[in-house]
Amino acid sequence: MGGRYICFIDMPTDRESVGTIPHKPPSGFRPIVEARGLSVHAEGSIDISRPAAGDYVVLGLCFPREMAQAHERKAKDPAKALLGRHWGAFLAIRATEPGQVSLVRDPSGQLPCYYRRYQGGWMVASDIELLRLYDRRPLDIDWTEVGDELLFINHFSSQTGLTGVYELLAGEEMIVTAQGLVTKAAWSPWDHAMSPVETVDEAVDRLESAFTLVHRTLAAKYPRPLITVSGGLDSSIVATQIAQFTKDARLLTFYTDGDPFGDERAFATIVARACNASLTEIPYRAPDFQTSCRSDMFLPRPTYRTIAGLINARLLDQGYLGGHGAVLGGFGGDNSFCGMAPPYALSDLLQGGTSIAGSWRMLGDLKRITSASYMDLARYVARTLRERFQPAKTYAWPREPIFLTAEVAERTAPRKLHPWLDAPYDALRGSTAHIAVIIRAHNYLERFPRSASTVGLSPLLMVPIVEACLSTPSWMWCDGGIDRSIARQAASTLPREIAERRSKGSPLQMHARYFETYRHDLKAFLIEGMLVQNQIVDANAVTRYCDREPPVRDLDYLRLLELVDAEIWCRYQRG
């Protein structure tokens, strides 16, 4: 979401000397908190509130839950109590006592929080440009971390790609004292994954209530939103849900010019008609090579996508010119709605102690979802039965070694795992995989620079919806032989043509044409770049691939474009 803040925390070992920090705030910022050892300044566009729980000052969107969770109502921990009673996109700050400061980031991850050591204390900010503004020390690239992030795609931890810059992860609390800084969980996805619903009806009811709460609240906050739609399930849920609560939403869809597979306007029109809203259609075209290399890499990790960046620039223009308070979309729906459920469904069901009849129904559902042959299903059953009697293993994050050097490719696990992957011993494998794909989504939440005038939000990753989804076991998402079944049933506002849709368009051909057109430029850019110099990217592998005559016959060009994005990020960080 939009809005910026910066916080200075000064905790010298001599507690008597702790005082208000005399830093001048940036232009357009106002003081929010001035206490001994703590100084917080925020931009005028960011919301400020003071909910009762723990006497926190909250920056960003903070909404009350309709009913506080039972285990949080009795929480003595102020951070857990705050997150049990509120949801949104926020950072909460309080000086608990002289010489101690607590910061709590909500679990949606939609208001960033980065921090860095500064003059014996700590500097915390919404974006790295603010960290740079007050500390002129260069931010060096952490090449080990960059290698990890390129091998273990979309995995991340508190360490960013810049040395000495860290992220307070979603759902965590940071406590700063004179003795140092510690972080701990104030919210865990496992509290919900380990307390599953018992029936499909209960799962549908819980998710339907969460849909209503989130979209009704966002419509009240932003009565004139701009909503991106593709005609797929996720964005259609957001659009039709919001349309129940405001008549001033406007829809926007991008389409690939000259490529029918990437043209979803017919489905987007169905959604617009159901919402009784206007629809703007904008062609989606790849940039030229030089333009794509000038992308503003504003994140502290190489996760920004250069081609998508041009779409985001168009969204910012449309949001500003149309006077829209927020840009909403369906990003994260596949992740929240357990799109990876089929491979885990039967194993999880057996671990839950299902009957033979229940297992047989599950096999029928999986056959309808995957169109697998009976022989494939037999192999799947055999593998599942073996796994049932094996102890759960630590989640192995998928590796993508193509185009990377042998030195990077030989790593078997990230040097530091995301804390949400620390699963209970009796956790279902499907639950661990579900949490992993939600982590993946968090890597792409920031579409716009923090200085942008438009708020960007992903409703389907808001906490009430995520908690309802986490409490739904993997097999229920396959109910009736339909993928993401619980979401389809819970979204009663969907037009029938969208609710029953099983396919989805894609701009892959446009990306393939971009690669084919600029493959020699892309090759030179990579093999002469910093990733090759730091022995992360294999120049020979890049050369062999780019020298092949078009057309491309695989999807490895998408991986190569990801590496180009990472190279642009590295050069941007080095100025």
Side-chain angles (χ1 to χ4, degrees):
M1 60 162 289
R4 307 173 80 192
Y5 65 86
I6 187 163
C7 172
F8 300 96
I9 305 173
D10 183 20
M11 294 295 169
T13 54
D14 177 9
R15 186 164 297 190
E16 293 300 319
S17 67
V18 175
T20 301
I21 304 170
H23 294 291
K24 183 180 178 181
S27 176
F29 282 58
R30 67 190 192 277
I32 302 301
V33 178
E34 293 287 352
R36 296 185 66 196
L38 174 64
S39 178
V40 182
H41 306 273
E43 202 173 36
S45 61
I46 197 167
D47 287 6
I48 309 295
S49 57
R50 295 177 182 267
D55 296 320
Y56 284 94
V57 173
V58 176
L59 312 179
L61 301 180
C62 184
F63 308 114
R65 293 180 185 260
E66 290 188 330
M67 182 178 295
Q69 298 162 326
H71 68 282
E72 300 293 2
R73 285 198 300 268
K74 300 177 181 178
K76 295 181 180 179
D77 185 300
K80 291 184 177 181
L82 176 73
L83 298 184
R85 294 186 175 98
H86 298 85
W87 65 276
F90 61 79
L91 178 73
I93 305 172
R94 71 172 184 148
T96 56
E97 59 182 65
Q100 181 167 311
V101 171
S102 167
L103 297 92
V104 181
R105 189 178 177 202
D106 93 280
S108 78
Q110 299 194 49
L111 181 64
C113 181
Y114 304 113
Y115 58 96
R116 184 187 190 190
R117 260 302 206 182
Y118 178 62
Q119 294 184 359
W122 295 90
M123 181 166 45
V124 183
S126 55
D127 51 275
I128 57 173
E129 293 310 315
L130 283 174
L131 296 182
R132 281 194 172 105
L133 179 65
Y134 283 92
D135 191 336
R136 297 298 181 179
R137 290 176 299 164
L139 292 175
D140 293 329
I141 295 172
D142 184 333
W143 293 108
T144 301
E145 186 65 25
V146 169
D148 265 14
E149 290 175 1
L150 294 179
L151 178 62
F152 304 100
I153 292 293
N154 295 331
H155 177 272
F156 64 98
S157 67
S158 59
Q159 173 63 58
T160 71
L162 299 172
T163 301
V165 176
Y166 303 91
E167 179 178 4
L168 180 63
L169 299 178
E172 284 193 336
E173 178 185 17
M174 174 199 301
I175 300 173
V176 185
T177 66
Q179 285 69 46
L181 179 153
V182 295
T183 60
K184 64 178 184 177
W187 178 95
S188 171
W190 291 106
D191 289 339
H192 309 279
M194 299 301 287
S195 301
V197 297
E198 296 184 358
T199 66
V200 167
D201 287 344
E202 185 183 354
V204 171
D205 289 346
R206 185 174 293 192
L207 185 54
E208 186 174 20
S209 296
F211 280 161
T212 299
L213 172 62
V214 168
H215 294 99
R216 182 183 64 211
T217 304
L218 292 180
K221 176 66 179 177
Y222 304 108
R224 199 166 183 270
L226 178 64
I227 305 173
T228 59
V229 293
S230 64
L233 176 67
D234 306 331
S235 62
S236 299
I237 287 176
V238 172
T240 56
Q241 288 284 323
I242 288 282
Q244 296 180 96
F245 307 108
T246 177
K247 301 303 180 186
D248 293 324
R250 177 176 144 210
L251 310 188
L252 181 148
T253 190
F254 289 94
Y255 66 94
T256 50
D257 207 0
D259 174 15
F261 193 61
D263 187 346
E264 296 278 276
R265 284 178 289 179
F267 291 102
T269 299
I270 293 172
V271 177
R273 192 181 306 124
C275 296
N276 193 27
S278 64
L279 175 67
T280 299
E281 301 172 352
I282 298 180
Y284 179 24
R285 299 188 181 100
D288 61 68
F289 175 70
Q290 292 300 326
T291 299
S292 67
C293 288
R294 292 194 293 269
S295 295
D296 180 8
M297 294 293 183
F298 54 86
L299 297 176
R301 297 186 181 92
T303 56
Y304 191 60
R305 296 295 177 258
T306 53
I307 294 179
L310 297 184
I311 285 186
N312 293 336
R314 296 295 297 273
L315 283 175
L316 283 175
D317 291 342
Q318 292 288 325
Y320 177 76
L321 295 173
H324 300 285
V327 175
L328 310 178
F331 174 72
D334 267 353
N335 312 72
S336 291
F337 302 154
C338 206
M340 34 51 63
Y344 300 93
L346 183 59
S347 175
D348 286 357
L349 189 62
L350 289 172
Q351 188 173 338
T354 188
S355 63
I356 294 177
S359 300
W360 187 253
R361 283 195 300 272
M362 183 77 265
L363 282 174
D365 289 343
L366 292 174
K367 181 167 177 32
R368 284 189 287 273
I369 289 176
T370 63
S371 300
S373 67
Y374 286 108
M375 183 58 70
D376 289 335
L377 286 174
R379 295 191 189 99
Y380 171 61
V381 170
R383 184 176 70 251
T384 298
L385 289 173
R386 287 197 302 271
E387 290 175 349
R388 183 188 178 191
F389 299 104
Q390 295 174 354
K393 299 178 181 178
T394 301
Y395 182 78
W397 197 275
R399 300 164 64 259
E400 188 56 80
I402 187 170
F403 300 128
L404 301 183
T405 62
E407 180 184 356
V408 173
E410 69 183 6
R411 302 175 193 173
T412 58
R415 62 177 175 177
K416 184 178 180 181
L417 274 177
H418 192 290
W420 287 0
L421 295 175
D422 185 13
Y425 77 95
D426 55 345
L428 299 176
R429 287 182 169 84
S431 295
T432 306
H434 190 183
I435 289 168
V437 297
I438 292 173
I439 292 172
R440 288 170 178 267
H442 280 202
N443 217 23
Y444 296 97
L445 283 171
E446 285 295 296
R447 302 179 67 174
F448 310 137
R450 302 304 308 169
S451 56
S453 59
T454 299
V455 172
L457 293 172
S458 298
L460 301 183
L461 288 168
M462 287 294 183
V463 168
I465 292 174
V466 169
E467 290 177 350
C469 292
L470 287 170
S471 67
T472 301
S474 61
W475 65 84
M476 291 188 186
W477 293 102
C478 305
D479 181 56
I482 303 169
D483 72 301
R484 297 171 290 172
S485 174
I486 302 302
R488 296 178 193 271
Q489 295 179 61
S492 57
T493 55
L494 284 175
R496 180 180 56 80
E497 299 95 326
I498 303 299
E500 296 177 358
R501 190 179 180 196
R502 300 292 180 268
S503 62
K504 185 71 171 61
S506 166
L508 281 179
Q509 289 186 23
M510 186 201 71
H511 288 76
R513 289 197 302 270
Y514 175 82
F515 170 77
E516 290 167 357
T517 302
Y518 297 111
R519 59 194 175 94
H520 294 301
D521 299 288
L522 296 167
K523 176 184 71 173
F525 186 71
L526 279 175
I527 66 176
E528 297 168 4
M530 299 174 71
L531 291 172
V532 167
Q533 292 170 12
N534 287 276
Q535 300 180 344
I536 293 175
V537 165
D538 183 340
N540 293 329
V542 170
T543 299
R544 286 193 299 270
Y545 188 79
C546 291
D547 284 348
R548 297 192 314 185
E549 289 298 317
V552 292
R553 296 176 176 82
D554 53 35
L555 296 178
D556 289 347
Y557 67 91
L558 295 174
R559 170 61 165 164
L560 190 135
L561 292 179
E562 288 179 342
L563 297 177
V564 170
D565 282 330
E567 177 67 29
I568 295 171
W569 180 87
C570 293
R571 296 190 189 191
Y572 182 89
Q573 299 305 327
R574 283 290 176 89

